[in-house]
Every structure is written in structure tokens, then in C-alpha cells.
Amino acid sequence: MRFCLLPGDGIGPEVIREGVRALKAVGEIFGHAFEFQEALIGGCAIDATGSALPQATVDACRSSQAVLLGAVGGPKWSDPGASVRPEQGLLELRREFGLFANLRPVRTSPSLSGLSPLKEEIARDTDILFVRELTGGLYFGARQETENGSAWDTLIYSEAEVERVARVAFVAARGRKKKVTSIDKANVLASSRLWRTTVERVAQDYPEVKLEHVLVDAATMHLLTRPRSFDVILAGNLFGDILSDEASVLAGSLGMLPSASLNESKFGVYEPVHGSAPDIAGKGIANPVGMLYSCAMALRHSLGLEKEASALEQAVEATLKAGARTADLSSENSLSTEAFADKVLEALRRTSPVLKV
Ligand code: NAD
Ligand code: IPM
Ligand code: MN
């Protein structure tokens, strides 16, 4: 079972290090031999090779069952005039492997709702699964950066693109609270009207799932006023990007959220929702939870190791329940990235059965 590691930039290497330690511990406890190979992506790849996604990285991903990605980008590569940007590496990776379905779960378990800056009675018991379309829409349409002092981007969706990601949302909802909220801006955008009619057509194949449509501007407000009313939120590439960062407030911090980017096979790219966090990079204080939960998603979706995935999730949850906090969650007595992960490993070893003979 081979993982490809793409640490990337900023806090990417800091959180991925802890993800690897956790996976090695899971391997020891449950008797699996995980292999890891590392490759370059993003700004560090540009510095070393001139490309944000070198061919050697694509090859390394292809020979792995799952890819763990830290984060890309940072001020060093942010010059608007630059010909190549770290973020292109990420977009290329998604395109190369056809990773059209991006799953971003957002949860607050009862004992952890105090982590959110929102009132506890609002954030409590949130359990939302974002299904974000990841290889189309505004991110992948034609664009022209300058044209006589103007610039344009194109937002195109085909029925086929909407349909396949909508099916992922309905199938997920069937195994959850049986509700899909589809996000669009159908009162203005033609692509959103196609989105809406296509989702309605797909919904007919899932009669047990309730479908509601919410305009994206209203959705930003409902997310923070009635988060418990959502189950699966289905959104296009840009709206899903924005709403999932907003929803991180419900879980306490952007550092808490994991993601899985999937195609039709078992292969996937697993990464925290957050970016390279240049403001805290190098300080050893990044929250590793989003990365650790992403590792659990990799165990579950790409390796089929459900027991191992939930053991890791439970160890993270137990660590938070016991009061361990990184600096983004608490201004007092906060732990470093490594010290927090140490506690997760202790919890993992304490609560998981030793299966080795
Ligand atoms: P960011 O997500 O990096 O940071 C936003 C804020 O959240 C910052 O204050 C940061 O300190 C905090 N934060 C993020 N992750 C954290 C963690 N694990 N622990 C504690 N605090 C955390 O977003 P940004 O600052 O807008 O972007 C920085 C760079 O990252 C940009 O170049 C952007 O393009 C890139 N980016 C990359 C990815 C990715 O690789 N998947 C995702 C988002 C942004
Ligand atoms: C994310 C990031 C990326 C996106 C950027 C870095 C290209 O924000 O993974 O959410 O917008 O998809
Ligand atoms: Mn984002």
C-alpha cells in the first residue's frame, strides 16, 4: 500500500509530517506495511524544476494508491506577473487525474462545539458534507489575463459534468440524513440554470432524498444561522471553495477540515482544506487535525481500511475532548503541531487493539 506525499509549501510539510507519523502508527498497530514516496508540487517544485507539477510527480502519484498533499503557495510566488504559479500545480493535478468530486466534511461533535466562535447552540451538532465539483466551472474555463486593460474568465458547465458530481452527492445523502442542498446563482447565471435543471433531473433517480435549492448568497447566511438544517451541500467549483472555508468556522478553525478529491476509481488526493498559511509557517504551531482527518479519509476511500480510519478519527477526537488545543483554537496553553500529534498517537495506541502477534 503506497502513499505519494506532496508536502508542498508553507505549513504543508509541517502538517504532512504528522500525517505520516500517524499512518505509520496505524500501520504498526493494525499490521500493515505502508510505503511512502515523496515528490514536489507548488512553489518548491517551481524553484527546483521550473514547473509547479513536474512529470516525475505525476508519475509518482500514478504509482501510488493515494496521494497526501500538504498545501501550495506563498508570498514568494505571488507576483501577479509571474508566468507560473504554485496553485497551477494543484489544478493540474486535479485535471490530470480527473478528480471531479471533492468531499469536505464539516462536523462539530457535542463536546467540541465550544471550539467554534459561533454561539454553542448554533454550531452544536453540525454535520455537513460538502460535495464540491472540482474539475470544471470558472476554474477551468478559458481566460484572458489582459486585453486592453480588461480581463475575463469563462464559467462553463456541461450537463454531464453536473450530473456525475450530483450523483456523488445523492449517493452520499442516501447513506446520511437524505437531504441535498444544491447551491447556485440561478437568478442570474445561465450556467446555474443548467446546474439546477440537471440536479432536478438526477434527483428523480433518488426519490428517498429530499432536494432543496438555495441561492449562494443566501446560503452564506444560512450556514451560520441554521447549520444543522444542512446534510449534503452540492456546489460548483467556486461556490464550493468559498462556502467550505466559511463553514470551517463551525468546526472552530480552517485547520480542522479535511478533504478527499476523487475520480471514478479508488484513487484519490487527500489534503486539508486550508492553504500554506504563510503567516504561521515555520513556527511549528499549525493545527494538524485537517491533515490527520485527511489521512483517515485516504485509509477509508482509497485503501478500504474502515476500522483503521475510524481508529485514527477517534484518536483525534479523544485528544480534542481531553482539551488539547493548537494555537488557532486557544490563546492559552496551546500545543505545538508536534506535541498535539504526540497526544493523538498516544490516544491511538491506548484505544486501538494491538492486532500484531
Ligand atoms: P490559508 O488557508 O493558508 O490561511 C488562512 C488563515 O487560516 C491564516 O490566518 C492561517 O494562519 C490560518 N490557517 C490555515 N491553516 C491553518 C492550520 N492548519 N492551523 C492554524 N491556522 C491555519 O489561506 P490564505 O492565507 O488565503 O492562502 C495562503 C496561500 O495558500 C495562497 O498562496 C493560497 O493560494 C494557498 N492555498 C493553497 C491551498 C492548497 O494547497 N490546497 C488551499 C488554500 C490556499
Ligand atoms: C482549495 C484552494 C485551491 C482552490 C487554490 C489554492 C487553487 O483554495 O483547495 O480550496 O481554490 O481550489
Ligand atoms: Mn479553498
Side-chain angles (χ1 to χ4, degrees):
M1 298 185 201
R2 187 182 294 160
F3 291 92
C4 182
L5 308 176
L6 307 180
D9 310 313
I11 63 168
E14 299 172 35
V15 293
I16 224 166
R17 193 176 303 131
E18 305 310 332
V20 172
R21 279 213 295 150
L23 286 172
K24 284 185 175 160
V26 167
E28 270 169 37
I29 293 166
F30 290 90
H32 303 298
F34 297 139
E35 283 176 29
F36 300 93
Q37 58 177 343
E38 199 169 311
L40 295 170
I41 193 169
C44 59
I46 295 175
D47 289 350
T49 70
S51 159
L53 185 71
Q55 185 58 41
T57 299
V58 175
D59 296 342
C61 293
R62 214 177 285 290
S63 66
S64 305
Q65 276 154 292
V67 177
L68 305 180
L69 196 148
V72 299
K76 183 176 174 194
W77 308 279
S78 292
D79 176 2
S83 58
V84 52
R85 302 177 61 86
E87 291 79 2
Q88 283 166 1
L90 195 57
L91 300 181
E92 269 300 300
L93 184 69
R94 292 170 181 173
R95 200 176 57 90
E96 176 72 33
F97 290 95
L99 307 170
F100 66 89
N102 182 221
L103 310 185
R104 297 185 161 188
V106 179
R107 277 189 208 101
T108 57
S109 65
S111 62
L112 303 178
S113 50
L115 291 180
S116 173
L118 290 179
K119 285 185 194 136
E120 199 157 336
E121 67 262 30
I122 290 180
R124 172 171 59 84
D125 297 330
T126 294
D127 183 359
I128 300 172
L129 176 67
F130 282 87
V131 177
R132 169 190 174 195
E133 200 290 325
L134 203 61
T135 50
L138 209 40
Y139 278 62
F140 288 89
R143 67 179 104 255
Q144 180 69 252
E145 306 229 333
T146 53
E147 196 186 66
N148 306 326
S150 64
W152 49 264
D153 300 271
T154 322
L155 203 184
I156 301 181
Y157 267 121
S158 68
E159 283 179 14
E161 283 175 310
V162 180
E163 177 170 343
R164 66 181 178 176
V165 74
R167 289 198 186 280
V168 172
F170 281 99
V171 168
R174 222 164 36 182
R176 296 172 45 104
K177 284 178 274 167
K178 302 187 173 47
K179 181 175 172 191
V180 169
T181 302
S182 175
I183 305 296
D184 62 39
K185 188 72 190 174
N187 53 347
V188 177
L189 304 175
S191 55
S192 276
R193 289 191 282 274
L194 177 113
W195 180 279
R196 192 176 279 218
T197 49
T198 307
V199 172
E200 268 173 8
R201 181 167 52 71
V202 171
Q204 289 168 10
D205 293 341
Y206 306 87
E208 68 277 46
V209 178
K210 181 178 177 323
L211 169 66
E212 73 173 358
H213 303 281
V214 178
L215 295 171
V216 63
D217 44 356
T220 62
M221 186 263 300
H222 293 315
L223 256 181
L224 301 183
T225 52
R226 54 171 179 88
R228 273 193 302 283
S229 71
F230 296 106
D231 178 21
V232 174
I233 295 185
L234 167 66
N237 210 338
L238 184 67
F239 295 159
D241 179 47
I242 297 168
L243 291 179
S244 54
D245 263 34
E246 186 197 8
S248 73
V249 172
L250 296 158
S253 160
L254 189 50
M256 299 282 284
L257 299 196
S259 82
S261 302
L262 307 171
N263 56 24
E264 271 109 359
S265 77
K266 289 228 167 267
F267 175 85
V269 173
Y270 301 86
E271 54 170 323
V273 169
H274 65 74
S276 59
D279 52 339
I280 58 164
K283 296 187 179 161
I285 58 168
N287 185 341
V289 171
M291 186 78 237
L292 294 170
Y293 281 149
S294 299
C295 292
M297 291 183 91
L299 291 169
R300 177 174 292 121
H301 291 280
S302 287
L303 273 55
L305 299 176
E306 174 58 40
K307 215 171 30 234
E308 290 79 347
S310 47
L312 178 52
E313 286 165 349
Q314 280 164 25
V316 173
E317 197 148 307
T319 304
L320 289 163
K321 251 181 217 168
R325 301 282 182 265
T326 42
D328 51 323
L329 296 173
S330 170
S331 50
E332 285 161 28
N333 299 323
S334 59
L335 297 176
S336 68
T337 310
E338 189 180 6
F340 183 93
D342 283 344
K343 293 207 177 292
V344 174
L345 296 196
E346 279 164 32
L348 193 60
R349 297 208 165 92
R350 202 170 48 238
T351 54
S352 300
V354 179
L355 299 182
K356 267 198 308 188
V357 277

